Amino acid sequence: QVQLVQSGGGLVQPGDSLRLSCAADRNVFSIDPMGWYYQGPGKERQLVAKIYTNGTTKYADSVKGRFTISRDSRKNTIWLQMNNLKSEDTAVYYCYGGIKPWSWSERSDYWGQGTQVTVSS
């Protein structure tokens, strides 16, 4: 069973930066797309950003110009560079991957373990 392993996160002040990373713990046939979702207190999980193997990206309007998603497809790894963080960015961030473990398998949704990002003065 493949797992998405996250790192990064923590407590920062408004205006600070953080970088999150996520990697599959073993080789798989395909992961497309990979991305990040966040879930604030009492809220539904929502898309932050995602990236496809062809380089296409999509961002939530609230993070455009501040967050950047990047990917190393050979290593099945993504990063989320978060700049100019705001208090409303406070949430648990989850890595996501649409994974086909083998060429003959169906593509399924996989999630990382989640990491807390808190932006507070």
Side-chain angles (χ1 to χ4, degrees):
Q1 179 79 355
V2 63
Q3 292 185 328
L4 295 175
V5 180
Q6 301 178 217
S7 62
L11 172 63
V12 297
Q13 295 185 341
D16 285 351
S17 298
L18 274 178
R19 191 186 196 210
L20 306 181
S21 64
C22 172
D25 67 346
R26 66 173 179 84
N27 288 330
V28 295
F29 177 75
S30 170
I31 307 181
D32 205 25
M34 294 187 77
W36 297 92
Y37 285 71
Y38 57 10
Q39 188 166 18
K43 297 182 179 180
E44 294 184 353
R45 195 172 296 186
Q46 296 180 315
L47 174 71
V48 178
K50 61 181 175 181
I51 185 167
Y52 292 84
T53 52
N54 66 4
T56 301
T57 58
K58 181 176 181 179
Y59 292 91
D61 288 343
S62 61
V63 307
K64 286 180 180 177
R66 300 189 297 122
F67 291 12
T68 303
I69 189 170
S70 57
R71 175 174 186 162
D72 184 335
S73 294
R74 292 175 299 176
K75 296 182 179 179
N76 290 327
T77 300
I78 58 170
W79 298 270
L80 184 68
Q81 178 66 40
M82 304 184 291
N83 297 328
N84 190 23
L85 282 159
K86 304 177 180 180
S87 58
E88 52 262 42
D89 297 322
T90 295
V92 178
Y93 284 69
Y94 295 92
C95 176
Y96 164 80
I99 298 177
K100 292 186 65 172
W102 302 278
S103 60
W104 61 87
S105 58
E106 295 291 325
R107 191 176 301 279
S108 301
D109 296 337
Y110 286 73
W111 296 93
Q113 77 274 22
T115 187
Q116 178 69 45
V117 171
T118 301
V119 184
S120 175
S121 56

